[in-house]
Amino acid sequence: MTNKPFFKWAGSKYRVLPHILPLIGTPTRYIEPFAGSLSVALNVVALEYILNDFNNDLIDVYKCVMYSTGFINDCEKYFTANNNDIAFYYFRNEFNNTIMDARHRAILFVYLNRHCFNGLTRYNKSGEFNVPFGKYKSPYFPRKEMENFISVFSGQFVEFSAGDFAADELYQSVDSRTVVYFDPPYLPLTDTANFSDYATGGFDYDDQVRLRDLAVSLANRGARVIISNHDTPVARELYSSAQITSIDVGRFIAAKGTSRKKVKEVLAVWN
């Protein structure tokens, strides 16, 4: 049985774990620099986990779940009688104006994730969360998944960090016992299909090249390195030095059900 993440997340790899997990195996050290919902990390058996994301709000939630007493109960309180647009926009505004209280902001982030449209995480140029109300009949509170998150990582060495995927401190101990899995913001399939604004600043082609160069350098240090991306000519050119596998993945981002179809992705593997 696989462990489910507690966040709704665009591009979650939960449905394609059967393709990814065999490539990862059971490393001593597992590094995931684009943590997202951690659907992969939650199902990797390792002794050490180094989990990073550029989105500081996301990482703060993970730290609170693991280390802040009563956090899950406090999150659940917001799922009672707050499933309406008035409450949603009130709490979204509160979230955008809560800077210093990381714990309270983390609670609001969990609420927003389960009540906003399609569970999207998106910010405007001012760094404000701007996803609209989702209008769900009964938003699910993921207590079971949050408690399981604690169970999976308790007793292991786990390091959570927020920052750039290429930060040196993420890779200080990389060796042949290390697996690094990169799940970056994807190359767009079309000019209008780029969801790279999940964190302020975006992710452009130069970042994709920087990622590929990092992957090659880590592989040269003995690590197994895996990158997911859309199966496009640009991706295949970028990853030409890797072993490439193409897989079909269901896409559930589009607003219209008729647009929710399968697309091809690549898994590029070095070493």
Side-chain angles (χ1 to χ4, degrees):
M1 179 178 291
T2 53
N3 299 308
K4 292 184 177 180
F6 60 83
F7 274 123
K8 298 176 69 175
W9 205 254
S12 171
K13 292 298 172 290
Y14 184 75
R15 296 175 183 273
V16 293
L17 287 175
H19 296 283
I20 298 173
L21 293 179
L23 298 175
I24 294 174
T26 55
T28 296
R29 182 180 303 103
Y30 177 73
I31 304 175
E32 192 167 339
F34 298 94
S37 66
L38 289 177
S39 58
V40 177
L42 282 165
N43 292 284
V44 171
V45 178
L47 297 180
E48 302 177 13
Y49 300 84
I50 298 174
L51 308 172
N52 175 82
D53 199 277
F54 187 72
N55 189 320
N56 192 72
D57 293 320
L58 186 66
I59 297 301
D60 279 347
V61 172
Y62 293 149
K63 290 179 178 178
C64 285
V65 172
M66 288 296 296
Y67 310 122
S68 180
T69 302
F71 180 77
I72 297 176
N73 288 337
D74 289 342
C75 287
E76 189 170 26
K77 295 174 184 177
Y78 281 76
F79 282 66
T80 302
N82 287 322
N83 185 31
N84 58 76
D85 57 349
I86 295 175
F88 177 84
Y89 290 111
Y90 176 85
F91 289 131
R92 192 181 77 170
N93 183 65
E94 186 175 349
F95 173 83
N96 287 328
N97 288 282
T98 299
I99 305 300
M100 301 305 294
D101 189 342
R103 188 180 189 277
H104 183 57
R105 186 176 169 92
I107 290 170
L108 292 173
F109 191 73
V110 173
Y111 165 84
L112 292 173
N113 175 259
R114 285 283 170 173
H115 289 77
C116 73
F117 176 73
N118 270 1
L120 290 174
T121 297
R122 186 185 65 200
Y123 302 81
N124 62 23
K125 292 182 179 179
S126 298
E128 297 176 325
F129 189 92
N130 66 352
V131 183
F133 182 51
K135 301 180 182 179
Y136 296 109
K137 182 177 180 180
S138 181
Y140 172 69
F141 180 68
R143 169 176 288 276
K144 177 182 177 181
E145 290 80 1
M146 295 173 88
E147 291 176 343
N148 188 56
F149 183 96
I150 298 172
S151 177
V152 168
F153 293 123
S154 292
Q156 308 295 332
F157 175 86
V158 182
E159 181 177 305
F160 295 103
S161 63
D164 186 73
F165 69 88
D168 290 340
E169 55 266 28
L170 298 176
Y171 310 105
Q172 291 178 350
S173 301
V174 164
D175 57 21
S176 61
R177 301 170 298 171
T178 303
V179 172
V180 185
Y181 173 58
F182 292 108
D183 183 27
Y186 276 14
L187 290 159
L189 287 171
T190 69
D191 291 341
T192 59
N194 196 342
F195 289 90
S196 65
D197 52 354
Y198 81 110
T200 303
F203 200 87
D204 60 21
Y205 178 74
D206 288 341
D207 291 313
Q208 300 283 357
V209 173
R210 192 162 58 100
L211 171 59
R212 187 276 316 279
D213 291 346
L214 174 60
V216 172
S217 69
L218 294 173
N220 288 337
R221 291 168 59 183
R224 164 162 283 211
V225 183
I226 305 163
I227 301 180
S228 294
N229 216 316
H230 280 139
D231 190 349
T232 66
V234 173
R236 286 182 173 267
E237 181 180 0
L238 278 172
Y239 309 146
S240 59
S241 63
Q243 180 178 344
I244 296 176
T245 301
S246 182
I247 61 175
D248 289 324
V249 179
R251 270 286 167 264
F252 299 93
I253 290 294
K256 296 181 179 179
T258 55
S259 299
R260 301 183 182 189
K261 56 187 179 182
K262 288 189 175 182
V263 298
K264 287 191 176 294
E265 295 187 3
V266 292
L267 290 170
V269 182
W270 288 263
N271 282 1

